[in-house]
Amino acid sequence: MSITANIIGQFAPIGLEEMSGIKLMNRIDTKFVTTVPLVVRLLKMAQADYRMQEIDGLRNMTYRTVYFDTPALDMFIAHHNGHAGRQKVRIRTYVDSHMDFLEVKTKNNHGRTRKKRIAVTDDNLSEPGKTAFLNQHLRYDPGTLAPRLQNRFNRITLVNSGRTERLTIDTNLQFHNPATGRNCSLPSLAIVELKRDGLQPSPVLDLLRQLRIMPMGFSKYCIGSLLTDPSLKRNRFKERLHTLERLTGSTFLSLH
């Protein structure tokens, strides 16, 4: 089963201009990992309470991401070890809109994520403008960074009627590791992320509970790296990998 145009078309649209006015300044992010068939059921249940982002007639957008790390994979290791203040560096491409952004994400001691970004035109981090941006926001030497993982996925974005939350649903996840040459696809998996304004009531939380879709952390960089590089340390992620095996019917923990 897939998220078909018929299901997507059932939602009232919301444009980019109106979306930009939904700031969510005191934002709480919660991720849920499930299967595409369950997400289809979720969408059917949520139609009355949500509108769907539409840009130039498109609703199911394609994203491409390149993640960068040091030779020792310091950012991956910091995440694996649960360090506060950990960071990620990526170039996010909005394929349908032909826009690229260099982004630095920092998770603070309170679990909040701060994102800084600038528009770019390519993946070359050695340009002076990109280096200056990274020196300002990143605690690692930009000169040591290299591409460590690439991914592609499709995303739909919902906004509740009260305009107090955004809900993104990512499907068709594909990973490529330039160091190992390995690829991995998760076509049956769906990543749901709820971004809401503080502790505002959320219509979708009741729906998720009804479908027994539970919260679970999911870093595309870390999970994608583990699925494409068997040599990486994975103790902290074993439970999540077990969950992925159960949801997808695949075997990841036997990689060696």
Side-chain angles (χ1 to χ4, degrees):
M1 184 181 291
S2 61
I3 301 179
T4 64
N6 179 58
I7 296 168
I8 291 173
Q10 297 298 314
F11 286 83
I14 181 170
L16 194 58
E17 183 176 348
E18 191 174 352
M19 285 285 296
S20 66
I22 304 172
K23 299 298 185 183
L24 304 183
M25 299 301 292
N26 185 30
R27 195 170 89 182
I28 295 175
D29 297 349
T30 311
K31 288 183 181 177
F32 304 81
V33 181
T34 185
T35 63
V36 171
L38 276 178
V39 155
V40 169
R41 290 179 59 188
L42 178 69
L43 288 171
K44 291 177 179 178
M45 296 164 68
Q47 287 174 16
D49 295 306
Y50 289 85
R51 298 160 66 191
M52 187 173 291
Q53 178 178 281
E54 180 176 300
I55 303 174
D56 297 329
L58 297 174
R59 297 189 175 195
N60 198 4
M61 310 294 183
T62 301
Y63 287 56
R64 183 179 77 93
T65 313
V66 179
Y67 292 94
F68 297 82
D69 210 331
T70 66
L73 301 180
D74 291 301
M75 285 179 258
F76 171 86
I77 296 299
H79 194 121
H80 179 279
N81 293 340
H83 290 172
R86 58 184 180 265
Q87 294 186 299
K88 287 188 191 128
V89 179
R90 69 188 188 191
I91 290 182
R92 165 66 53 82
T93 299
Y94 298 82
V95 175
D96 302 295
S97 304
H98 308 287
M99 295 188 300
D100 304 84
F101 293 92
L102 171 61
E103 301 179 343
V104 175
K105 296 181 71 176
T106 303
K107 192 157 204 174
N108 67 20
N109 294 338
H110 304 289
R112 300 272 180 168
T113 299
R114 176 174 56 89
K115 182 169 70 174
K116 299 292 183 179
R117 72 178 191 175
I118 57 170
V120 297
T121 56
D122 57 44
D123 296 350
N124 180 11
L125 295 188
S126 64
E127 294 176 353
K130 295 173 187 168
T131 301
F133 170 80
L134 292 172
N135 280 328
Q136 181 180 359
H137 299 291
L138 187 68
R139 66 177 62 97
Y140 302 96
D141 179 1
T144 67
L145 301 181
R148 301 300 175 188
L149 186 75
Q150 302 167 10
N151 77 9
R152 289 178 71 93
F153 58 93
N154 296 108
R155 169 172 290 180
I156 59 176
T157 301
L158 304 176
V159 178
N160 69 325
S161 302
R163 292 158 50 95
T164 58
E165 69 183 41
R166 291 197 301 269
L167 188 73
T168 61
I169 300 176
D170 298 343
T171 57
N172 193 29
L173 273 71
Q174 304 171 54
F175 301 101
H176 171 69
N177 191 314
T180 65
R182 292 191 179 218
N183 300 304
C184 183
S185 298
L186 300 172
S188 62
L189 202 71
I191 311 301
V192 179
E193 184 167 10
L194 173 62
K195 306 172 184 183
R196 57 179 169 148
D197 193 0
L199 293 175
Q200 291 284 342
S202 168
V204 81
L205 285 178
D206 285 338
L207 302 181
L208 288 163
R209 279 192 285 267
Q210 289 179 42
L211 294 172
R212 297 184 180 179
I213 300 174
M214 299 294 107
M216 186 179 96
F218 188 98
S219 161
K220 291 186 180 73
Y221 173 51
C222 292
I223 296 297
S225 296
L226 289 168
L227 297 182
T228 56
D229 187 347
S231 70
L232 292 179
K233 183 179 181 182
R234 60 190 60 222
N235 295 346
R236 185 179 176 87
F237 292 99
K238 278 189 176 181
E239 184 176 343
R240 291 172 204 177
L241 291 173
H242 274 303
T243 299
L244 293 184
E245 288 184 334
R246 177 177 56 81
L247 291 172
T248 65
S250 302
T251 302
F252 304 127
L253 290 173
S254 63
L255 291 174
H256 62 277

